[in-house]
Amino acid sequence: MLADYATLTRRATDRLIEFPGRPLIMGVVNVTPNSFFDGGRYLEPAAAVAHALRLVDEGADLLDIGAESTQPGADPVDEAEERRRAIPVVAAVAKAVRVPISIDTSKATVAQAALDAGAALVNDVTALRGDGAMVEIIARMGAGIVLMHMRGTPRTMQQEPRYEDVVGELATFFNERIHFAISRGVAHTQIVLDPGIGFGKLLEHNLTLLAQLDQFTRLGCPLLVGVSHKAFLGQLVDRPVQERQWATAAAVAMAVERGAGILRVHDVRAMREVMQVTMAIGHATGRPMKAQHA
Ligand code: HH2
């Protein structure tokens, strides 16, 4: 079964994303004024491109370029502005590096323009529920698609999220979304799943999802996990956003141990080392890692 997703997005060979027997490190590039960790730092295209190249130097296997913040309460960005911010950066980075590029967007026109400019993967935090035109683009372009779980929208998602059984409810959600995508012409091998840590979840939900991440490996798609500097870590260690690197490291290690296939992080070099050490210990125990990346 592993061979089925040993590589991803196979339809167009130039969009292949290969899994080299370990999780991939996805470096975050936010071309926004208001992202919770690095908002405003890379709003200028030249600064964003330089940051992306630095992340590749530090060992990023993938880059996730986004131009709209999804933090709780964030205002939506209009389509023209999102394109204006994101596309020149995607185009310049795609020319400069060989690592696959993901576009973090829920808008079909932004996704199409980014794929045309060289992106290989669309990171849609609405899991194809936001823009009706998105699924057709993914099917036609043979691009990878991240289906992330979110309760509500970024504006509303932290208003009293409730679950009876958070793991079971996410499994049902993933199954339904996979079915939908496949029914519209997307191949199973194009799909990546993401529990959406911090998206409409309380601390206890985030912890349960990370603790039981391996429950989702049976769905047969790589799992993307984004914990980097998030608020739930601040609740645990009482540190401001910029000082959550160690807390992030602990969560990344646990996610690796439980089968994460792609780690979406801001601190690429450090988290790559965390991943390497976690993998080495996992191998030495002789216990197979849950392996979304073999
Ligand atoms: N987290 C953020 C943004 N996009 N996409 C996926 N698939 N999974 C995540 O966990 C995820 C995501 C939040 O991080 P960041 O991009 O740094 O912040 P902001 O949304 O404020 O730009």
Side-chain angles (χ1 to χ4, degrees):
M1 190 168 85
L2 286 180
D4 282 341
Y5 46 76
T7 56
L8 175 71
T9 71
R10 301 164 178 76
R11 281 200 190 165
T13 49
D14 59 336
R15 296 187 199 282
L16 276 180
I17 297 172
E18 297 191 49
F19 284 81
R22 59 165 175 79
L24 300 177
I25 301 291
M26 172 184 261
V28 178
V29 180
N30 283 319
V31 195
T32 63
N34 59 338
S35 288
F36 81 97
F37 176 66
D38 51 6
R41 261 191 252 169
Y42 311 115
L43 191 52
E44 284 300 314
V49 173
H51 181 57
L53 302 191
R54 191 160 53 238
L55 295 183
V56 173
D57 257 10
E58 290 183 11
D61 300 299
L62 282 169
L63 293 168
D64 189 33
I65 299 177
E68 177 176 43
S69 172
T70 53
Q71 68 171 308
D75 283 328
V77 173
D78 79 41
E79 187 184 306
E81 174 64 8
E82 194 178 330
R83 281 170 68 131
R84 194 188 63 74
R85 289 181 194 166
I87 304 308
V89 176
V90 171
V93 174
K95 283 204 187 84
V97 299
R98 291 179 59 85
V99 304
I101 295 169
S102 157
I103 176 75
D104 188 351
T105 189
S106 313
K107 298 188 185 73
T109 54
V110 177
Q112 179 72 66
L115 294 169
D116 290 341
L121 181 69
V122 177
N123 175 16
D124 179 3
V125 298
T126 74
L128 300 175
R129 296 172 300 163
D131 186 331
M134 185 73 98
V135 68
E136 195 271 320
I137 289 170
I138 302 299
R140 181 164 42 77
M141 300 292 289
I145 176 73
V146 179
L147 301 176
M148 194 196 80
H149 178 270
M150 170 166 52
R151 178 61 66 81
T153 65
R155 258 178 182 275
T156 62
M157 64 190 179
Q158 289 308 110
Q159 292 165 8
E160 288 192 65
R162 280 204 200 118
Y163 301 84
E164 292 289 318
D165 163 17
V166 69
V167 172
E169 287 171 51
L170 261 72
T172 303
F173 172 85
F174 287 144
N175 272 315
E176 188 274 320
R177 290 288 83 200
I178 291 170
H179 267 96
F180 168 76
I182 288 176
S183 75
R184 302 292 289 272
V186 176
H188 201 272
T189 51
Q190 288 171 245
I191 299 173
V192 174
L193 302 175
D194 180 346
I197 298 298
F199 286 86
K201 282 134 196 145
L202 302 176
L203 175 61
E204 70 209 63
H205 305 133
N206 292 314
L207 295 178
T208 302
L209 287 167
L210 287 169
Q212 297 188 44
L213 193 67
D214 52 336
Q215 300 283 329
F216 303 120
T217 59
R218 65 179 65 137
L219 297 170
C221 300
L223 299 176
L224 188 154
V225 178
V227 291
S228 194
H229 292 262
K230 283 189 175 170
F232 81 103
L233 299 173
Q235 286 176 268
L236 293 171
V237 298
D238 194 19
R239 290 276 175 195
V241 170
Q242 302 301 329
E243 295 172 23
R244 297 177 190 158
Q245 196 190 32
W246 306 115
T248 299
V252 164
M254 297 301 273
V256 169
E257 199 274 334
R258 284 159 168 72
I262 302 177
L263 302 155
R264 184 182 184 280
V265 295
H266 301 94
D267 316 296
V268 164
R269 178 170 313 204
M271 295 313 133
R272 189 179 171 99
E273 291 175 7
V274 168
M275 178 273 290
Q276 287 170 321
V277 173
T278 311
M279 287 297 288
I281 295 170
H283 284 311
T285 60
R287 205 162 22 94
M289 309 284 272
K290 304 291 184 304
Q292 289 296 294
H293 41 69

